[in-house]
């Protein structure tokens, strides 16, 4: 098994969370940049990273990097990469996405077309053929050009890793599973502490918290495009990674995780998703308006994704909504509260400045992760 370099993209602002996850899996970090972490590992890292990492969007197998300011340089740089080491003669290959930031080459469609031609040129000469059937396994290529530096990788995941496979029912404006997991991991919440989401929607925060608490690997019940790359990853490595994930599940765990929402449809969706994730025994969902949020125990955590007021019919409702959030939080003695929102005046109407505020980009939207710290519970 040779050493490979991998790129794991993530939400801007959450690189440190992903870095910790990768180190915990036993891999060496090469570089941490805005929105991505690069690390090294053997071929089994493709299996384990896809199955175990909670906070990355996908795992890219890095093919190479080079500088290009013209399309000729892009063609030659792409052609110089050792594609035959990764793509077999019958492989189906294409540039599925091209992103350009602060670079002279900025047309995604032109970048994709020129790189595909360069790959074909290289593989024609290596395999001594005039055209390709492309009827074998799929090899999608992703490229990022940042300040004229081209970084090329094969997408080992296929569908984004936020698609765990459990969220078949959804509601408007759901938070992604990868973002929800990362935000939970930024808090000191653990399986012994209470977690409550008063805007649970389709249940993503409670379900991800239950999976983290029970140590259920997020990718163990889905498939990945690189499972067919048997010349790079022996099938046994996938089976071993799944066996490892099965062995790590804590099956006798008890947790206090609550999800509330005013919408009956949201609660039905959340319950269905929890069943799909096999954590319905760990999570309790209930239809309940915000002003009835309560809990008899101390030292719990609110973790939530309230409405942002981005729709035209919502902005006038935001002050009263965030005042209500502040009232609910003050009524929960000794609790902590963590909420993500793009609403700029959240702190003003909650009525208290957050102890910490972290800026996170949710796609292209700037959001804030407000962190209100309650006291630590006394030692037993």
């Amino acid at each position: 098994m040779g050493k490979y370099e991998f790129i794991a993209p993530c939400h801007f602002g959450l690189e440190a969370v992903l870095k910790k996850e990768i180190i915990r899996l036993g891999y060496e970090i090469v570089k941490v940049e805005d929105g991505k972490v690069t690390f090294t590992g053997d071929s089994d890292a493709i299996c384990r990273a896809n199955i175990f990492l909670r906070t990355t969007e996908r795992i890219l197998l890095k093919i190479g990097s080079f500088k290009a300011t013209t399309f000729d340089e892009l063609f030659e740089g792409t052609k110089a990469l050792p594609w035959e080491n990764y793509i077999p003669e019958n492989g189906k290959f294409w540039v599925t996405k091209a992103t350009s930031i602060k670079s002279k080459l900025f047309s995604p469609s032109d970048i994709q077309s020129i790189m595909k031609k360069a790959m074909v040129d290289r593989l024609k000469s290596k395999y001594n053929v005039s055209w390709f059937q492309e009827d074998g396994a799929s090899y999608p290529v992703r490229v990022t050009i940042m300040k004229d530096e081209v970084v090329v990788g094969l997408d080992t995941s296929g569908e984004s890793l936020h698609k765990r496979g459990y969220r078949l029912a959804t509601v408007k404006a759901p938070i992604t599973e990868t973002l929800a997991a990362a935000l939970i991991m930024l808090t000191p919440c653990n399986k012994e502490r209470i977690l409550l989401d008063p805007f649970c929607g389709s249940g993503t925060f409670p379900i991800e918290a239950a999976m983290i608490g029970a140590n259920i690997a997020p990718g163990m019940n889905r498939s990945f495009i690189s499972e067919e790359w048997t010349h790079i990853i022996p099938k046994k490595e996938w089976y071993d990674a799944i066996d490892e994930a099965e062995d790590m599940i804590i099956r006798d765990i008890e947790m206090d995780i609550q999800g509330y929402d005013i919408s009956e449809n949201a609660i039905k969706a959340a319950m269905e998703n929890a069943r799909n994730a096999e954590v319905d025994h760990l999570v309790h969902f209930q239809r309940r308006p915000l002003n009835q949020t309560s809990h008899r125990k101390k030292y719990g955590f609110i973790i939530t994704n309230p409405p942002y007021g981005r729709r035209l019919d919502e902005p006038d409702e935001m002050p009263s909504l965030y005042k209500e959030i502040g009232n609910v939080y003050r009524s929960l003695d000794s609790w902590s509260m963590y909420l993500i929102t793009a609403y700029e005046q959240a702190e003003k109407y909650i009525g208290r400045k957050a102890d910490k505020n972290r800026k996170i980009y949710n796609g292209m939207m700037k959001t804030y992760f407000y962190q209100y710290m309650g006291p630590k519970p006394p030692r037993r």
Side-chain angles (χ1 to χ4, degrees):
M1 292 191 296
K3 279 274 184 189
Y4 297 98
E5 203 163 289
F6 301 99
I7 302 165
C10 64
H11 287 86
F12 282 80
L14 295 173
E15 298 84 0
V17 183
L18 176 55
K19 178 186 173 184
K20 278 184 187 173
E21 273 204 285
I22 293 168
I23 290 170
R24 232 179 279 133
L25 268 187
Y27 301 117
E28 187 178 334
I29 302 295
V30 175
K31 193 190 293 184
V32 179
E33 301 167 89
D34 286 347
K36 66 180 178 181
V37 179
T38 305
F39 65 99
T40 57
D42 298 326
S43 59
D44 70 346
I46 297 174
C47 317
R48 296 182 71 242
N50 274 298
I51 289 169
F52 286 103
L53 292 179
R54 300 182 190 276
T55 63
T56 184
E57 296 303 309
R58 61 187 68 251
I59 301 298
L60 304 178
L61 171 54
K62 186 177 176 181
I63 306 300
S65 60
F66 55 89
K67 193 173 180 66
T69 57
T70 67
F71 284 121
D72 282 343
E73 288 175 349
L74 179 67
F75 183 92
E76 294 302 330
T78 303
K79 188 176 176 180
L81 297 174
W83 293 106
E84 66 280 2
N85 293 349
Y86 305 96
I87 301 174
E89 189 175 334
N90 69 338
K92 180 183 177 184
F93 57 96
W94 71 102
V95 181
T96 185
K97 185 165 185 184
T99 304
S100 177
I101 303 163
K102 298 177 182 175
S103 299
K104 291 184 175 64
L105 303 178
F106 55 83
S107 166
S109 58
D110 288 338
I111 292 165
Q112 288 168 293
S113 173
I114 284 161
M115 289 185 69
K116 168 77 177 190
K117 286 175 185 171
M119 292 166 68
V120 168
D121 253 31
R122 168 89 183 199
L123 292 173
K124 270 183 180 179
S125 64
K126 291 295 176 181
Y127 291 126
N128 197 25
V129 295
S130 58
W131 73 293
F132 296 96
Q133 293 272 14
E134 296 200 47
D135 56 359
S138 295
Y139 298 84
V141 175
R142 287 182 173 249
V143 57
T144 302
I145 308 179
M146 177 72 172
K147 295 180 180 175
D148 302 322
E149 181 73 17
V150 183
V151 179
V152 186
L154 279 179
D155 179 4
T156 73
S157 305
E159 276 203 304
S160 173
L161 295 181
H162 80 264
K163 295 185 177 180
R164 318 284 207 216
Y166 68 74
R167 199 165 73 180
L168 304 181
T170 190
V171 294
K172 67 182 181 185
I175 191 167
T176 65
E177 295 87 329
T178 45
L179 180 53
L183 296 180
I184 292 165
M185 292 162 75
L186 274 176
T187 77
C189 189
N190 59 56
K191 57 184 181 289
E192 276 84 40
R193 305 280 288 273
I194 308 148
L195 183 144
L196 192 158
D197 181 358
F199 299 95
C200 73
S202 53
T204 310
F205 268 128
I207 291 168
E208 289 293 319
M211 290 177 72
I212 291 168
N215 216 16
I216 298 170
M220 65 183 297
N221 291 318
R222 55 158 284 176
S223 59
F224 308 96
I225 204 164
S226 53
E227 288 176 40
E228 302 304 315
W229 303 357
T230 50
H231 62 298
I232 297 175
I233 322 155
K235 281 283 187 187
K236 184 179 183 302
E237 291 184 354
W238 287 105
Y239 299 140
D240 288 348
I242 290 292
D243 287 345
E244 181 186 358
E246 287 279 358
D247 291 344
M248 289 174 67
I249 297 174
I250 307 169
R251 300 187 185 277
D252 58 351
I253 192 170
E254 292 182 10
M255 301 175 74
D256 188 345
I257 301 174
Q258 313 269 336
Y260 303 152
D261 203 284
I262 198 168
S263 162
E264 187 69 42
N265 288 337
I267 294 302
K268 284 179 182 174
M271 292 170 75
E272 181 184 336
N273 292 336
R275 282 192 294 272
N276 294 334
E278 299 180 8
V279 295
D280 49 312
H281 61 298
L282 299 174
V283 185
H284 173 71
F285 291 108
Q286 186 180 5
R287 185 183 178 196
R288 190 185 286 200
L290 176 63
N291 61 10
Q292 290 181 23
T293 301
S294 63
H295 202 289
R296 59 189 174 79
K297 292 182 181 176
K298 294 186 173 187
Y299 307 110
F301 290 85
I302 290 177
I303 301 179
T304 194
N305 174 41
Y308 299 172
R310 285 301 168 113
R311 296 207 319 271
L312 290 175
D313 59 339
E314 283 182 340
D316 293 345
E317 302 169 18
M318 291 301 103
S320 59
L321 175 66
Y322 281 81
K323 280 180 183 175
E324 192 65 62
I325 291 172
N327 292 337
V328 164
Y329 179 50
R330 282 185 288 277
S331 71
L332 288 164
D333 182 33
S334 72
W335 279 50
S336 300
M337 180 169 71
Y338 298 82
L339 59 91
I340 183 170
T341 180
Y343 184 51
E344 300 273 356
Q345 300 188 70
E347 288 174 302
K348 173 184 172 182
Y349 290 108
I350 286 170
R352 177 181 152 188
K353 188 172 173 59
D355 298 300
K356 286 186 181 177
N357 177 12
R358 194 182 192 108
K359 194 186 298 179
I360 294 164
Y361 281 86
N362 187 3
M364 297 306 293
M365 187 191 298
K366 182 168 68 175
T367 63
Y368 302 92
F369 189 45
Y370 293 110
Q371 302 166 63
Y372 293 88
M373 314 292 197
K376 291 181 181 178
R379 292 192 174 188
R380 293 179 182 175

